[in-house]
Amino acid sequence: MREAWEVRKLGEVCRLLNGRAYKKSELLEDGKYPVLRVGNFFSNRSWYYSDLELEEDKYCDEGDLLYAWSASFGPRIWNGPRVIYHYHIWKCDLNDSEINKRFLLHWFDWDTDRIRSEQGTGTTMIHVSKSSMEKREICLPPLAEQKRIVAVLDEAFAAIERAKEIAQQNLANARELFESYLNRVFTEKGEGWEEKTLEELGSTQTGSTPKKANKSDYGEYIPFVKPSDFLKDGTLNLKNNGLSEEGLANARVIPEGSALMVCIGATIGKSGFSDSRITTNQQINAFIPDDEIDYRFAYYTFVTRDFQRSVIRNSGQATLPIISKSKWSRLSICYPDKEGQLRIINTLDHLRQLQISLEVRINKKLEALDELKQSILQKAFTGQLTGVARDLELAS
């Protein structure tokens, strides 16, 4: 820590004011004041309202610094109308003669990551009490130094956000390139294409849930596939997911060269293909084609916009979306001869691999930008901002 910086307890420079807990009967569809809950704080825009008149510290106004402290976690400066805020949010009543609001916002961002680390990797429900938060130590430089640090951080994070926006747009462009070509090929078709139903082109087999689904220590190993095992490129994750001989006794083995689609549940339409023998659970239909059509061509048909719409259009919507085996079998596929299918498969395989490769690189860059932000915050709150100019070059 640099000279003139002072170690303080957070509670010495900022009071954390709790919001209010609500009975269900107090949350209205319409009313005088919106009720700011944690869901609204981060993403959900579905609001409840209240006509309650409360003490002044139970309201927050535009520009107030807030902190969600349970489940969803972290600080925000409120940018909206006057609201009543929920118990799981603190309003920060800070002493502005000692601490700058945006300095505290950035410190909260840095400290939030430390709290996550303290509560353990993989923790999903982050929680911190008001008393423990007020006891956390914060290193405070003089106000003028705080404002200088804020100016540097605001500039750095604006550059990082611009870099992330560009990366996200490149990611969207890569996906659009593949999907545009895919849908154009199957919409425009070509001379000599035929159209037949799945039942005319092969057979459909629905999976099952065997009584025993354990990895085999002996005998034949047949992977057991669930919707979560479908990968982005249509291939399957077949690791540590096999059936023992007991499991195989009551399972339906699907032959190699099949195209797969989830036909029940929230992930209906999710598709893949298999080059080897597998078993699947009952959410998945397997199309086993005759010689007239390649199973990979069938897979690419399944992921087109038009085929996906046909699946949804023919699905029942009672509790979970489901398309029956009979309706599934009557869905149609348009296709050229085998040579034309192979050309399309090769082109789509190439574009898909380019897309996945680019996604990997972009996601690594996004991770690096997040790490850069934390590195800059670390330097800011330990008095080491001299290296930030160099870090900004990396962000841009």
Side-chain angles (χ1 to χ4, degrees):
M1 185 178 70
R2 296 171 61 180
E3 291 184 17
W5 287 44
E6 186 180 2
V7 177
R8 305 287 295 276
K9 302 289 186 186
L10 178 64
E12 295 173 353
V13 294
C14 174
R15 286 196 307 149
L16 300 176
L17 305 176
N18 263 119
R20 187 181 186 279
Y22 290 88
K23 300 175 184 176
K24 190 173 181 180
S25 59
E26 293 176 331
L27 296 172
L28 310 175
E29 293 299 318
D30 196 15
K32 186 174 182 180
Y33 301 108
V35 177
L36 178 64
R37 298 171 298 151
V38 173
N40 307 115
F41 193 64
F42 287 98
S43 59
N44 181 12
R45 307 312 297 173
S46 176
W47 287 84
Y48 284 111
Y49 295 84
S50 172
D51 290 326
L52 294 171
E53 296 294 341
L54 305 172
E55 54 269 32
E56 183 61 25
D57 66 5
K58 300 304 180 191
Y59 299 91
C60 70
D61 298 287
E62 185 171 7
D64 282 339
L65 177 56
L66 307 176
Y67 195 105
W69 57 267
S70 179
S72 297
F73 202 70
R76 291 286 189 281
I77 289 180
W78 176 239
N79 181 25
R82 185 174 177 84
V83 296
I84 300 172
Y85 61 104
H86 191 267
Y87 180 75
H88 286 151
I89 297 172
W90 294 319
K91 181 169 73 170
C92 300
D93 179 22
L94 52 93
N95 182 346
D96 55 14
S97 66
E98 293 192 83
I99 189 166
N100 177 276
K101 183 193 299 182
R102 290 196 63 79
F103 181 88
L104 182 56
L105 170 71
H106 290 310
W107 182 85
F108 275 145
D109 263 339
W110 176 62
D111 189 60
T112 296
D113 194 64
R114 293 196 301 166
I115 291 172
R116 287 194 180 98
S117 298
E118 289 167 6
Q119 297 204 9
T121 303
T123 302
T124 55
M125 296 293 285
I126 303 295
H127 177 94
V128 63
S129 69
K130 181 172 177 287
S131 60
S132 65
M133 193 69 185
E134 289 175 335
K135 291 175 184 176
R136 294 186 75 81
E137 292 185 344
I138 179 171
C139 296
L140 283 182
L143 267 178
E145 178 73 0
Q146 290 180 38
K147 292 177 182 178
R148 187 186 75 81
I149 290 171
V150 166
V152 173
L153 292 180
D154 285 348
E155 181 184 358
F157 297 158
I160 288 174
E161 284 306 309
R162 286 194 298 273
K164 289 177 76 171
E165 287 172 7
I166 292 170
Q168 293 284 10
Q169 186 57 57
N170 287 339
L171 196 59
N173 290 343
R175 291 170 180 160
E176 174 61 26
L177 175 63
F178 173 79
E179 290 173 7
S180 175
Y181 180 81
L182 169 74
N183 289 305
R184 188 171 71 250
V185 165
F186 285 89
T187 300
E188 295 177 357
K189 305 181 183 64
E191 191 175 337
W193 282 49
E194 294 187 61
E195 182 174 0
K196 291 185 180 180
T197 62
L198 292 177
E199 62 187 359
E200 292 175 308
L201 291 168
S203 61
T204 294
Q205 186 168 311
T206 302
S208 62
T209 300
K211 293 178 182 178
K212 293 186 178 182
N214 304 309
K215 185 174 180 180
S216 176
D217 294 321
Y218 56 92
E220 188 175 17
Y221 178 87
I222 302 289
F224 181 69
V225 175
K226 307 177 297 298
S228 59
D229 296 317
F230 288 42
L231 302 179
K232 285 183 178 181
D233 62 355
T235 58
L236 306 173
N237 175 20
L238 302 179
K239 296 179 181 177
N240 302 320
N241 235 356
L243 297 185
S244 65
E245 289 184 1
E246 295 96 326
L248 284 172
N250 45 51
R252 300 167 185 164
V253 178
I254 296 165
E256 63 184 35
S258 57
L260 313 168
M261 177 177 278
V262 179
C263 289
I264 304 174
T267 58
I268 188 169
K270 191 175 184 181
S271 302
F273 61 89
S274 179
D275 297 318
S276 59
R277 300 173 74 212
I278 59 170
T279 59
T280 72
N281 75 4
Q282 72 274 20
Q283 291 177 271
I284 297 169
N285 278 357
F287 170 63
I288 302 102
D290 296 335
D291 291 338
E292 199 168 350
I293 190 166
D294 190 288
Y295 67 100
R296 293 167 299 168
F297 187 87
Y299 157 72
Y300 278 124
T301 303
F302 291 173
V303 296
T304 61
R305 180 176 54 244
D306 288 344
F307 196 90
Q308 291 278 314
R309 287 173 178 170
S310 294
V311 170
I312 297 302
R313 191 166 55 247
N314 285 277
S315 299
Q317 300 287 331
T319 52
L320 285 175
I322 176 172
I323 181 169
S324 66
K325 184 177 178 180
S326 59
K327 287 186 177 180
W328 156 268
S329 298
R330 290 195 293 270
L331 297 179
S332 61
I333 286 182
C334 293
Y335 60 98
D337 59 27
K338 272 296 193 64
E339 186 178 341
Q341 292 176 41
L342 188 58
R343 284 197 301 268
I344 291 170
I345 290 167
N346 289 338
T347 302
L348 287 169
D349 282 350
H350 179 65
L351 287 176
R352 173 60 65 80
Q353 289 307 313
L354 286 177
Q355 175 199 337
I356 292 173
S357 176
L358 184 57
E359 283 186 4
V360 169
R361 292 204 303 272
I362 291 173
N363 285 327
K364 284 182 179 178
K365 179 170 184 177
L366 289 170
E367 289 173 7
L369 289 169
D370 287 335
E371 290 171 1
L372 175 59
K373 181 176 180 178
Q374 287 305 314
S375 171
I376 292 172
L377 284 169
Q378 173 71 18
K379 290 176 180 178
F381 296 108
T382 54
Q384 304 173 59
L385 269 180
T386 53
V388 168
R390 182 179 64 255
D391 292 337
L392 277 174
E393 292 180 9
L394 293 174
S396 61

